[in-house]
Amino acid sequence: MRLRNIPIAKETVMTSPYCINDPNAYKGRWQEAFPLALPLSVEIGMGKGRFLMELAALHPENNYLGIERYSSVLLRALQKMEEFPLSNLKFICMDASDLTEVFDKNEVSRIYLNFSDPWPKERHAKRRLTSHQFFERYDRVLKEDGQVEFKTDNRDLFLFSAKEIPVAGWRLDAITYDLHHDEKMNEGNIMTEYEEKFSSKGNPIYKLVASR
Ligand code: SAM
């Protein structure tokens, strides 16, 4: 997903009205980053932003923040936002491991993790966005009734996540091993860029929803 050597990416991200460059300054007052004070949902590892743009357009009753670590990837989302601006969607270029420096307790209503990097080596397990270390971070920023939604085509990462989440003290509210053939869980599903790519190859898509 990382697109290398896009020299204008950093500068474009820094100067874009759709990006928040000093996210730590908004800790505890994220409502001020948007025209309307609405519940806040966050996608971590948003890539080129297709999922979040569609979601934000469909749900003007929420505010959305997309987090992406690489400016070269985020650039694609900014280009789309210039064509179809949405007042309830902003982006942050940061590593999600700093999540608790950016969001206060109870500040986030929902977290989306879509096709997160698998980090297959055991010694890198704590970098997986569904590791217990990341769920500890989610615990510190999510509202009491907040949920984490996770989709992937990576079976090993999904099986790891389904085991890891209860270890982190969370419960699985819903789980499917074939989202696109699960009538209930697929209702209103918005495809991400990766989801379209992998499901068109015939890969099943796995999804779970977790809460405390
Ligand atoms: N969610 C998109 C989709 O489903 O099409 C993109 C999936 S891509 C495999 C994973 C993305 O997550 C990459 O763009 C990567 O840079 C980003 N990412 C991975 N770990 C991250 C982290 N710790 N903080 C922020 N972004 C991260």
Side-chain angles (χ1 to χ4, degrees), residues 8-9 13 18-19 23 33 45 56 59 84 91 104 129 131-132 155 160 163 165 171 179 199 201 204 206 210:
I8 56 157
V13 165
Y18 308 118
C19 281
H59 293 283
F84 306 104
F91 305 117
D104 221 341
L129 294 180
S131 64
H132 69 267
R155 191 171 174 85
F160 162 84
K163 260 200 203 161
I165 287 167
R171 66 165 184 259
L179 175 64
S199 62
K201 287 184 185 165
Y206 309 105

Side-chain angles (χ1 to χ4, degrees), residues 10-79:
K10 260 198 186 129
E11 199 192 318
T12 308
V13 165
M14 292 291 286
T15 54
S16 169
Y18 308 118
C19 281
I20 307 281
N21 289 315
D22 53 346
N24 302 38
Y26 282 94
K27 184 173 180 175
R29 51 186 201 91
W30 271 103
Q31 304 296 0
E32 294 171 30
F34 297 91
L36 298 174
L38 301 169
L40 181 67
S41 291
V42 174
E43 185 187 5
I44 301 176
M46 50 160 279
K48 298 177 193 166
R50 165 182 163 171
F51 168 83
L52 214 45
M53 290 188 73
E54 219 173 306
L55 191 64
L58 280 172
H59 293 283
E61 73 280 12
N62 294 321
N63 286 327
Y64 294 92
L65 269 175
I67 294 178
E68 171 52 52
R69 167 165 62 171
Y70 295 121
S71 56
S72 53
V73 179
L74 189 50
L75 186 64
R76 300 301 160 107
L78 297 181
Q79 287 162 344

Side-chain angles (χ1 to χ4, degrees), residues 1 45 68-70 94-96 114-115 117 192-194:
M1 173 59 100
E68 171 52 52
R69 167 165 62 171
Y70 295 121
M94 65 174 260
D95 192 307
N114 291 320
F115 297 80
D117 294 344
T192 78
E193 275 102 353
Y194 270 62

